[in-house]
Amino acid sequence: MSDNRKFHLPEVVRTPSRFRNAIGKYRLNRTDACTSCGKCVEICPYGVHVMKRGRVYVKNHYLCIGKECPNPCTLGCPENALSFRRNPTFDTMGDYRWTPDLLASTWYMSEFGDVPKAGLNYRTGDSGGGFDKLRIKLRKEEESLDLTDEDIDLSVELNRREDNAHRVKIEVPFYGGGMSYGSVSVTTILSRMKAAKLLGTLCCTGEGGYPDELKPYDDNVITQVATGLFGVREETIQRVRMVEFKYAQGAKPGLGGHLLADKVTPGVARMREAVAGFPLFSPFPFHSVYSVEDHKKHVDWIKAINPKAVVSVKVSTPTDVDMVAVGSYYAGAHVIHLDGSYGGTGAAPEIAKKNISMPIEYAIPKVHQFLIDEGVRDKVTVIASGGIRTPHDLVKIIALGADAVCTGTSDMVALECIRCHKCESGRGCARGIATTDTELVQLMNNDWGTQRIVNMFLAWRKEIIRILKRLGMKSIKELVGRKDVLAHLDYINK
Amino acid sequence: MPSKYVIHTKQIDHRFEPLTRSGIIAWEEGCLKCPVCVKKECVYGVYEKRELNPGQMIDSIDNKCMSCLRCVQNCPGQLIQKSINPEFMEMGDTHWTPDIIARLWYQGETGKIPVSGAGYPGPFSGPGFDSMWTDMSEIVRPTRDGIHGREYISTGVDIGSTPKNLVFDKEGRMVKNESAIIDIPIPVIMRAPDFGAISGNTIKGWISAAKKLETLLAIPVKRIIPEFLKLSAHIIPVISSKDIEGLNINEHVRMVEYIWDEKGASNLKKVKKMFPEALISVRLYLDGDFEKKAMEIFEAGCSIINLEGSYNGRVRDDASIYMKDAIRRIHLAFVEKGVRDEMTLIASGGFSMAEHIAKSILCGTDAVYVDFPILIALGCRMCHRCEQGIPCPVEIDNASIKWVAARTINIIGAWHNQLLEVMGAMGIRDVRRLRGEVGRAMFFEELDKNIFGSLNRVEEGFELE
């Protein structure tokens, strides 16, 4: 990663849903009039219909793109035996931010390593503001640079201070945000971590310790030091190249963390040096930090234990977020990680998720400008998280002033999270992602999970490269702070 | 410092199964009778635990389903689907949305703060209070051991007029301040909603909750029956000018509300005479030049004003002005006049979520009135059938006093805890310090325009993606 060896990207391997029936937007109906002539198998561009032992049936409802289909089976069927309608289940999924279309298109990317061809809006959600009202301005005629994809540089240096710490470079402008062992399963953590290694990037452990299973990935691990100090040991800090201080998180700013008793299984308790079956509170704030000077002491403490560690500071987005960011820089942080209010994966009070602190779309441009005015923008890396769902969101937030992003929910969606928002209830996630229940974790295996996440991010990467080429940029670094490549639908021509 | 105010909530079951957002549709036809059916593998045991509720003639399956879709995705015959429930989606209106109603049911049932995983699912911003965010403090907060810890976050407010300074007579004795104040431990006063299948027992339940919560319940004087007056200290009789003749309440009440009209100033004197011991609040319907009218009320000698917006949280004759803005305008008018500390502003109309308390206070009120949420906590579906004389589908009027009181305590308890969460994140220890503290709020209009306002050009030859 940081040496000069040419980095080789992993391959896309088609990885379908781990459930028997993938959920799609449409459902096809075949009446008894069907003679199994095979015409539909022949004309469908997406492999929806299949012929097996002389009989035709619909194998892949979820790949049907409905009325946008250029060669619809419903018209091509000589017996008029086919019809399609919207799948009612599809519309019960998702929400304003993660629309059913966004969920299904993320699943498509995780299966095929490419964005959906048609039929799904994979670019924006339906929240009516922020990312969903911002658009990227591209030149109409395809005057893309005469470059191959390999010529576009997506890598980001995380350490811009000229100090002794590691020169950590990520090959793609994103890395995995913290999700703790306890809140998600070891399989989920390992899948994200392996994918991070394959993609040449990093992934954060969250607050909950550093399971031994992660040892092979030490160079790709960011270990988190949060207010509960769960699982933090000298040895874990010395093992990694990057350490993240979590002061606050966007979903529940000012409220700390809370792992419900049910999720504190014996394994989790051992890792966190706690007692199984009791809830764990990670209080807010760090009780040893009430000023920037105190914070500097914290950073120095990490540097004393691991002098080469790159230090990231994760904060949420209060109205004075710009002051917080500049204070963190002067205290010695290499990376300022801003976590906006609308993201997050863990359980949080709904009132906090909705109301407390500002969306990331506002915080990043504020901080970017403030750091420029202070003359230190090029000495520090700004990471955005909290609601980055798609490659388009990523491009937009970098244009607003971030250097790279952290993802969380999109990784979960790649693993087939349907956003039922019940992660915290009972035995945890019924789909085996955010749970430590011994039976439920069996629903998923590492190889499948790793490949799904790799595929999704390869699709992101391709899409980011396509957009950069159309913007006439050779490097993601050129995009940072280029607000002028964006337009906001509410203000155009006003 | 007063002893710590804690509202004890407990699970109080629904009397009727609530409507659910989606339902299961499972066909029997075509079933392959697999040896291990996906229905048996349900993590939540929904299919095993389902039962027929004979009272309501419904199957409880949809109330138990958690929508993980595993059965939908694993049935080999694809015989199970989920579908949006149109009956749920048609509840309420654009202000009292189905989601808000369902959250209120949950809080009435459990007394808990709604908590969920996987980030915020809602719109980016919205009208009225939805266009505000509250602040947080990165490294400072009021207590070191959590908002439910040993240290105290006060949510108490004073209703009435606190004197600007103490006055002493020639002998150096303190001159007793004429106007008393009522202090309530939570900035919420309840009141009977304008419609609903409300029986005597319902109101008794609310009064009993008001006593337990140490706050008050406002009721139109016409609806007060002698039995209610056993707990008269927790009742605010609401009086219009038509009620004044022949009004006869001898029990001790601490506060009365008079509905302002053109005869306001002269009637106010009559009301004061009738209730010499009580605080007099004036209800001002927010319409026309409401800032001017509010000032007139203050000048007529009334120091408590209830700013009454519409049922859906707006000014009554102008749906484009939301409570948020009306409150800020009136608050600022009194601040500019230099009298804001001599009076109490309470707002009412459309308060439907816990955050509205904090946001209303940030905009400039001291407290709020809560009306429909205490009805919805009882299971109300906002169907308005009671207004047409059709029986209530959840028979609220038949609920027992005890049940009504417990559910009401649950909803206010959940809201109180949410107020603590918001204040805790801001690092504010006393709700009185929150009043008008707009520096601790972020407004969509300002932020959005500052940050995105300049992104307004699409040059020739460009397209948007």
Side-chain angles (χ1 to χ4, degrees):
Chain A
M1 226 160 72
S2 52
D3 55 31
N4 292 325
R5 251 182 308 134
K6 177 99 176 97
F7 177 76
H8 292 288
L9 277 176
E11 299 280 319
V12 171
V13 180
R14 187 177 169 186
T15 312
S17 170
R18 60 200 156 105
F19 299 101
R20 187 191 296 265
N21 316 319
I23 299 170
K25 200 168 184 173
Y26 302 99
R27 282 182 65 76
L28 285 136
N29 183 39
R30 181 187 302 276
T31 66
D32 291 344
C34 173
T35 59
S36 286
C37 68
K39 180 85 176 164
C40 52
V41 181
E42 186 187 310
I43 63 174
C44 174
Y46 308 106
V48 171
H49 305 273
V50 167
M51 171 84 81
K52 198 174 165 190
R53 290 193 215 106
R55 282 186 48 89
V56 172
Y57 71 108
V58 181
K59 183 160 184 258
N60 300 310
H61 287 279
Y62 74 105
L63 295 176
C64 175
I65 63 159
K67 56 181 181 296
E68 285 178 45
C69 183
N71 202 2
C73 56
T74 48
L75 299 180
C77 175
E79 308 297 332
N80 271 330
L82 289 165
S83 60
F84 73 85
R85 64 188 166 84
R86 233 178 131 92
N87 179 2
T89 305
F90 185 77
D91 293 316
T92 66
M93 301 188 307
D95 46 60
Y96 288 98
R97 290 194 64 79
W98 277 89
T99 54
D101 271 38
L102 276 190
L103 291 172
S105 47
T106 302
W107 294 334
Y108 187 96
M109 292 188 232
S110 310
E111 177 168 352
F112 295 100
D114 208 345
V115 294
K117 307 268 179 307
L120 294 170
N121 176 1
Y122 67 92
R123 293 169 180 169
T124 49
D126 201 14
S127 74
F131 290 130
D132 293 341
K133 280 282 178 83
L134 286 167
R135 294 292 180 271
I136 306 164
K137 288 191 279 191
L138 301 172
R139 278 201 187 280
K140 259 178 193 153
E141 60 274 23
E142 293 278 340
E143 53 177 53
S144 295
L145 285 183
D146 190 21
L147 293 166
T148 61
D149 287 3
E150 283 69 38
D151 295 327
I152 306 285
D153 179 17
L154 293 189
S155 70
V156 178
E157 291 282 356
L158 297 181
N159 177 5
R160 296 166 191 217
R161 285 176 180 267
E162 279 150 19
D163 63 3
N164 288 328
H166 291 288
R167 294 276 176 275
V168 176
K169 186 173 99 177
I170 49 176
E171 301 291 339
V172 281
F174 46 80
Y175 62 81
M179 267 179 252
S180 62
Y181 174 55
S183 69
V184 294
S185 69
V186 173
T187 316
T188 304
I189 295 182
L190 269 180
S191 301
R192 297 181 75 217
M193 208 56 88
K194 282 185 181 176
K197 182 168 183 160
L198 290 167
L199 292 161
T201 185
L202 309 163
C203 186
C204 179
T205 57
E207 180 186 28
Y210 195 156
D212 284 340
E213 289 93 328
L214 300 187
K215 272 212 164 130
Y217 311 98
D218 280 351
D219 275 357
N220 302 83
V221 171
I222 303 169
T223 194
Q224 193 176 70
V225 178
T227 49
L229 299 176
F230 292 123
V232 176
R233 283 176 288 140
E234 271 190 23
E235 185 259 333
T236 59
I237 288 172
Q238 284 161 350
R239 235 153 79 178
V240 294
R241 298 195 301 155
M242 184 158 158
V243 177
E244 174 177 297
F245 271 111
K246 187 186 79 187
Y247 279 85
Q249 54 197 109
K252 39 191 163 180
L255 300 174
H258 181 188
L259 190 66
L260 298 168
D262 287 337
K263 279 196 168 183
V264 186
T265 58
V268 172
R270 206 164 37 248
M271 186 65 60
R272 296 190 177 211
E273 298 172 80
V275 180
F278 285 88
L280 290 176
F281 291 93
S282 188
F284 179 86
F286 275 112
H287 290 336
S288 45
V289 179
Y290 284 92
S291 66
V292 169
E293 291 74 19
D294 288 347
H295 166 56
K296 180 166 187 324
K297 176 194 69 190
H298 250 184
V299 175
D300 290 346
W301 168 53
I302 292 296
K303 287 182 175 169
I305 299 171
N306 180 355
K308 297 207 76 179
V310 171
V311 177
S312 163
V313 174
K314 178 174 177 179
V315 293
S316 63
T317 51
T319 174
D320 58 352
V321 59
D322 34 16
M323 294 296 294
V324 171
V326 88
S328 306
Y329 166 75
Y330 283 122
H334 299 93
V335 175
I336 314 285
H337 175 171
L338 305 176
D339 195 23
S341 59
Y342 286 161
T345 49
E350 290 177 6
I351 187 169
K353 294 196 282 191
K354 179 181 173 197
N355 299 293
I356 305 177
S357 77
M358 67 170 101
I360 194 68
E361 295 96 314
Y362 295 152
I364 288 291
K366 266 181 90 138
V367 166
H368 176 69
Q369 192 55 47
F370 201 79
L371 291 171
I372 289 176
D373 296 346
E374 191 70 17
V376 299
R377 181 65 186 88
D378 55 345
K379 295 273 179 265
V380 63
T381 306
V382 176
I383 300 291
S385 69
I388 317 290
R389 304 157 295 178
T390 63
H392 282 75
D393 288 355
L394 180 146
V395 167
K396 290 168 191 170
I397 203 72
I398 290 180
L400 289 171
D403 292 299
V405 307
C406 255
T407 62
T409 304
S410 44
D411 306 26
M412 300 292 101
V413 175
L415 302 177
E416 295 199 286
C417 165
I418 51 165
R419 283 175 70 77
C420 67
H421 301 281
K422 306 271 167 35
C423 332
E424 82 300 345
S425 59
R427 294 156 65 191
C429 171
R431 299 169 71 89
I433 307 165
T435 180
T436 47
D437 182 277
T438 46
E439 193 187 322
L440 292 172
V441 296
Q442 304 299 325
L443 288 169
M444 192 167 78
N445 73 54
N446 265 328
D447 293 344
W448 180 87
T450 306
Q451 193 62 49
R452 290 279 290 193
I453 295 174
V454 164
N455 285 351
M456 176 184 76
F457 283 131
L458 289 175
W460 279 39
R461 193 179 169 280
K462 246 171 140 171
E463 191 68 2
I464 297 164
I465 288 174
R466 180 185 68 81
I467 295 170
L468 282 181
K469 277 160 83 176
R470 283 198 66 188
L471 289 170
M473 296 178 184
K474 284 185 189 171
S475 162
I476 193 82
K477 296 175 196 77
E478 290 176 48
L479 181 64
V480 177
R482 286 287 303 277
K483 267 173 99 170
D484 58 300
V485 306
L486 301 177
H488 192 290
L489 295 184
D490 285 349
Y491 299 100
I492 292 173
N493 302 327
K494 271 182 196 160
Chain B
M1 192 184 282
S3 65
K4 191 166 172 176
Y5 180 66
V6 181
I7 300 176
H8 296 283
T9 59
K10 56 175 189 251
Q11 170 82 22
I12 303 290
D13 290 340
H14 299 298
R15 295 163 59 245
F16 288 81
E17 294 285 2
L19 299 175
T20 56
R21 185 173 174 271
S22 61
I24 297 174
I25 304 164
W27 286 275
E28 300 292 326
E29 193 188 332
C31 174
L32 302 168
K33 306 278 181 229
C34 303
V36 181
C37 175
V38 291
K39 295 179 180 175
K40 286 189 183 152
E41 289 182 329
C42 174
V43 180
Y44 303 104
V46 165
Y47 292 92
E48 285 165 28
K49 291 183 197 152
R50 74 191 287 186
E51 58 199 5
L52 186 75
N53 179 328
Q56 281 171 267
M57 292 308 289
I58 59 159
D59 185 338
S60 66
I61 188 164
D62 290 330
N63 293 96
K64 298 201 157 63
C65 175
M66 305 280 265
S67 296
C68 73
L69 303 188
R70 272 183 59 192
C71 57
V72 174
Q73 289 199 259
N74 279 333
C75 172
Q78 304 194 30
L79 298 176
I80 307 172
Q81 292 292 330
K82 284 223 75 172
S83 177
I84 294 285
N85 176 6
E87 200 183 354
F88 179 87
M89 299 311 277
E90 272 167 26
M91 281 197 304
D93 49 47
T94 52
H95 183 80
W96 299 92
T97 63
D99 278 338
I100 287 176
I101 294 172
R103 289 283 182 286
L104 291 170
W105 291 341
Y106 171 83
Q107 293 168 72
E109 180 194 10
T110 62
K112 288 182 183 161
I113 300 177
V115 170
S116 63
Y120 173 61
F124 185 81
S125 71
F129 287 125
D130 279 355
S131 64
M132 279 174 80
W133 292 277
T134 62
D135 202 12
M136 63 83 67
S137 174
E138 209 68 64
I139 52 174
V140 180
R141 64 164 301 159
T143 77
R144 281 174 166 259
D145 54 357
I147 53 173
H148 302 294
R150 289 150 295 181
E151 291 179 63
Y152 195 70
I153 300 179
S154 168
T155 54
V157 289
D158 304 321
I159 307 292
S161 172
T162 42
K164 260 201 283 194
N165 44 280
L166 300 175
V167 182
F168 298 90
D169 62 16
K170 277 179 192 154
E171 279 79 48
R173 284 171 306 201
M174 197 164 75
V175 176
K176 199 174 170 252
N177 178 36
E178 266 186 34
S179 56
I181 53 166
I182 300 176
D183 52 6
I184 47 177
I186 177 171
V188 171
I189 301 177
M190 301 188 288
R191 64 174 192 179
D194 293 341
F195 64 83
I198 301 166
S199 67
N201 277 354
T202 320
I203 293 182
K204 281 187 214 163
W206 285 332
I207 298 172
S208 140
K211 177 168 189 275
K212 190 102 187 199
L213 296 164
E214 300 168 51
T215 180
L216 302 118
L217 176 79
I219 323 169
V221 74
K222 274 179 286 191
R223 284 161 83 168
I224 296 179
I225 55 171
E227 270 181 276
F228 297 167
L229 293 167
K230 281 182 201 155
L231 292 175
S232 60
H234 294 280
I235 292 177
I236 303 174
V238 181
I239 302 163
S240 73
S241 53
K242 284 182 220 132
D243 302 321
I244 290 184
E245 296 307 319
L247 187 62
N248 186 23
I249 293 179
N250 298 317
E251 284 80 358
H252 168 67
V253 293
R254 292 187 289 167
M255 183 164 156
V256 289
E257 180 170 286
Y258 171 69
I259 301 175
W260 190 255
D261 57 14
E262 59 282 356
K263 286 180 278 181
S266 62
N267 277 342
L268 203 54
K269 287 189 187 119
K270 290 186 198 166
V271 176
K272 274 190 175 164
K273 217 169 176 181
M274 266 185 250
F275 298 95
E277 300 277 297
L279 295 182
I280 313 291
S281 156
V282 164
R283 176 188 295 186
L284 168 64
Y285 286 119
L286 292 178
D287 52 23
D289 190 350
F290 50 81
E291 286 145 282
K292 191 167 151 241
K293 285 196 266 185
M295 211 51 84
E296 280 167 20
I297 293 172
F298 179 73
E299 274 152 15
C302 183
S303 59
I304 308 171
I305 307 179
N306 167 17
L307 310 172
E308 168 104 10
S310 67
Y311 151 92
N312 54 9
R314 303 164 195 215
V315 165
R316 300 171 76 91
D317 61 349
D318 185 349
S320 70
I321 306 176
Y322 287 84
M323 288 301 280
K324 178 194 88 176
D325 302 302
I327 292 169
R328 285 186 79 183
R329 276 161 58 179
I330 294 172
H331 169 73
L332 286 177
F334 283 113
V335 169
E336 267 163 40
K337 209 167 156 53
V339 296
R340 181 63 187 88
D341 286 332
E342 294 167 38
M343 60 177 318
T344 302
L345 288 177
I346 311 176
S348 58
F351 291 95
S352 60
M353 287 184 272
E355 72 229 38
H356 292 167
I357 307 175
K359 288 181 175 177
S360 172
I361 296 173
L362 279 167
C363 288
T365 65
D366 295 272
V368 301
Y369 275 104
V370 169
D371 46 17
F372 285 100
I374 61 171
L375 183 70
I376 297 172
L378 308 181
C380 171
R381 296 173 180 176
M382 298 299 262
C383 64
H384 297 259
R385 272 178 245 184
C386 49
E387 287 187 299
Q388 302 158 37
I390 303 170
C392 174
V394 292
E395 300 173 25
I396 289 173
D397 40 353
N398 290 336
S400 72
I401 299 172
K402 218 175 131 190
W403 187 87
V404 170
R407 293 277 289 207
T408 308
I409 288 166
N410 274 355
I411 185 97
I412 303 293
W415 281 28
H416 177 242
N417 276 338
Q418 287 171 82
L419 177 62
L420 290 180
E421 296 264 3
V422 172
M423 286 172 60
M426 276 189 268
I428 285 189
R429 279 183 97 121
D430 187 334
V431 77
R432 290 174 295 191
R433 273 196 52 212
L434 203 59
R435 188 186 77 193
E437 187 64 270
V438 286
R440 289 311 191 91
M442 296 172 252
F443 292 93
F444 169 80
E445 301 88 330
E446 290 163 26
L447 274 173
D448 210 65
K449 195 146 194 273
N450 277 344
I451 288 166
F452 297 138
S454 62
L455 308 181
N456 57 0
R457 283 193 320 275
V458 185
E459 296 81 357
E460 195 70 29
F462 282 85
E463 64 184 358
L464 298 180
E465 180 175 307

